[in-house]
Amino acid sequence: MPQQPPPAVSVIMPVLDEERHLRNSVRHILEQEYAGEMEVVIALGPSTDRTDEIAAELVAEDPRVHTVPNPTGRTPAALNAAIKASRHPIVVRVDGHGMLSRNYIATAVRLLAETGAANVGGIMHAEGENAWEDAVAAAMTSRIGVGNAAFHTGGEAGPAETVYLGVFRRDALEQQGGYNEEFIRAQDWELNFRIREAGGQIWFSPELKVQYRPRPSIKALAKQYKDYGKWRHVVARYHAGSINLRYLAPPTAVAAIAAGLVVGAAVTPWGFVVPAGYLAAITAGSLPAGKGLSLKARAQIPVALATMHMSWGFGFLTSPRSLARKVIASRRPAVVAPAATRTD
């Protein structure tokens, strides 16, 4: 019998202000070593740079590339718009600054078949293009920077709570009604939570690797991690069982350092031991993280680590309860497929 062709794949991309990386990101998709049919659907937010112009050029250059509007600019709305406009049974999420390894899609499709999972994902492999970005990349792939998160630092293949980006079976996405658009951040975690509640499996594999370009400045990195912390607290309030010591470390550090500075300034110099100890710890921790980098990059790793920790912790501590209440009010129950239509 003739061999069946691989399943057709839809790649969906939420894009906003990505003129720097969009063309290269799409090139990494179109050059995949994959024999099946493929389309790329770019959901365009209200960018202030040349993103729309570059996207139009990509559409003109390759019939596999399409665009859809995302007037809100919000990531989950973009993802839902792209899913709705796409048509193939496998849906691959890629960001506008992510670069897929050449066999990413073929490997993901194989893993979906081998594991029976509803979603598979792998490693967010941060790589910089200058000394600052190299420093951030080193911080983002070190345990002192992000703890034991497998999709940052690697690990063994197996079931997971969530994964970076994701390659989904379309029926799993449609069964759950797509992404919850109230989750401006952490929308991947929330969707994967519903998939798992419905009996689906989320699978992590280090075979899957996506190059990620870090934020280009301290200000941009601080905003990113403040948002991460704010939305992680929303998730903790949304689902009480999702919090662990790794998530509590940054807010604890922020509170302890703030208290140490106050005590040191107002009561006794001994209070400064806490912030001094933190600085010593991240400086020592940056040494193995910076192995092989330039001296300029290595010198900036402690700055990147402090920015990530303090911004994440501050965002977590200041996350408003009103935001969590709004998100909880939008809670979507997991949808379990009728027994007669399930596939194993």
Side-chain angles (χ1 to χ4, degrees), residues 241-262:
S242 69
I243 202 69
N244 60 40
L245 293 178
R246 175 166 67 90
Y247 297 125
L248 294 176
T252 300
V254 169
I257 289 169
L261 291 172
V262 170

Side-chain angles (χ1 to χ4, degrees), residues 61-72:
E61 293 165 8
D62 196 304
R64 293 174 291 177
V65 182
H66 315 281
T67 61
V68 293
N70 173 36
T72 69

Side-chain angles (χ1 to χ4, degrees), residues 89-344:
I90 305 297
V91 178
V92 181
R93 177 184 170 176
V94 181
D95 286 340
H97 46 271
M99 314 294 164
L100 301 184
S101 52
R102 188 171 288 271
N103 64 345
Y104 180 89
I105 291 177
T107 302
V109 170
R110 172 177 60 79
L111 289 170
L112 284 173
E114 289 176 354
T115 64
N119 179 21
V120 300
I123 295 175
M124 177 183 179
H125 185 66
E127 289 187 357
E129 296 182 324
N130 54 47
W132 164 251
E133 291 181 5
D134 285 342
V136 176
M140 292 180 69
T141 53
S142 68
R143 292 190 179 274
I144 192 172
V146 294
N148 62 350
F151 69 83
H152 281 296
T153 61
E156 294 184 2
E161 284 191 358
T162 191
V163 290
Y164 180 55
L165 301 178
V167 178
F168 299 83
R169 299 179 189 271
R170 176 178 290 277
D171 56 4
L173 284 175
E174 292 181 343
Q175 179 182 314
Q176 298 306 323
Y179 291 84
N180 184 334
E181 295 186 14
E182 293 296 335
F183 274 80
I184 308 307
R185 294 277 189 180
Q187 64 274 158
D188 299 295
W189 179 91
E190 193 276 337
L191 174 59
N192 287 321
F193 174 71
R194 281 186 282 130
I195 290 174
R196 288 187 292 109
E197 273 200 324
Q201 187 177 69
I202 312 302
W203 188 267
F204 167 81
S205 174
E207 291 184 76
L208 298 173
K209 185 179 290 187
V210 181
Q211 290 181 9
Y212 169 87
R213 297 295 185 233
R215 295 297 192 268
S217 67
I218 292 177
K219 181 179 178 180
L221 183 67
K223 182 182 184 306
Q224 178 187 19
Y225 272 79
K226 179 186 173 185
D227 287 347
Y228 282 168
K230 178 173 74 174
W231 281 93
R232 186 64 232 188
H233 205 163
V234 170
V235 166
R237 287 165 170 159
Y238 181 92
H239 178 51
S242 69
I243 202 69
N244 60 40
L245 293 178
R246 175 166 67 90
Y247 297 125
L248 294 176
T252 300
V254 169
I257 289 169
L261 291 172
V262 170
V263 170
V267 181
T268 171
W270 284 105
F272 292 122
V273 168
V274 176
Y278 171 77
L279 289 175
I282 61 172
T283 300
S286 71
L287 297 178
K291 186 177 180 180
L293 298 182
S294 68
L295 181 61
K296 185 177 181 181
R298 294 200 301 270
Q300 295 182 85
I301 294 175
V303 178
L305 287 169
T307 302
M308 290 161 55
H309 293 161
M310 296 299 102
S311 300
W312 203 103
F314 181 77
F316 189 95
L317 291 171
T318 58
S319 181
R321 286 186 178 274
S322 59
L323 178 59
R325 285 195 294 268
K326 179 182 178 183
V327 168
I328 290 169
S330 73
R331 187 191 296 268
R332 296 180 181 180
V335 179
V336 181
T341 62
R342 288 188 206 170
T343 57
D344 294 321

Side-chain angles (χ1 to χ4, degrees), residues 9-13 22 25-27 29-30 38-43 58-59 62-68 82 86 88 92 94 105:
V9 167
S10 296
V11 181
I12 59 171
M13 302 182 71
L22 179 59
S25 181
V26 172
R27 179 179 64 81
I29 297 167
L30 298 177
M38 183 168 56
E39 66 175 351
V40 182
V41 182
I42 304 172
L58 292 167
V59 170
D62 196 304
R64 293 174 291 177
V65 182
H66 315 281
T67 61
V68 293
S86 66
H88 294 320
V92 181
V94 181
I105 291 177

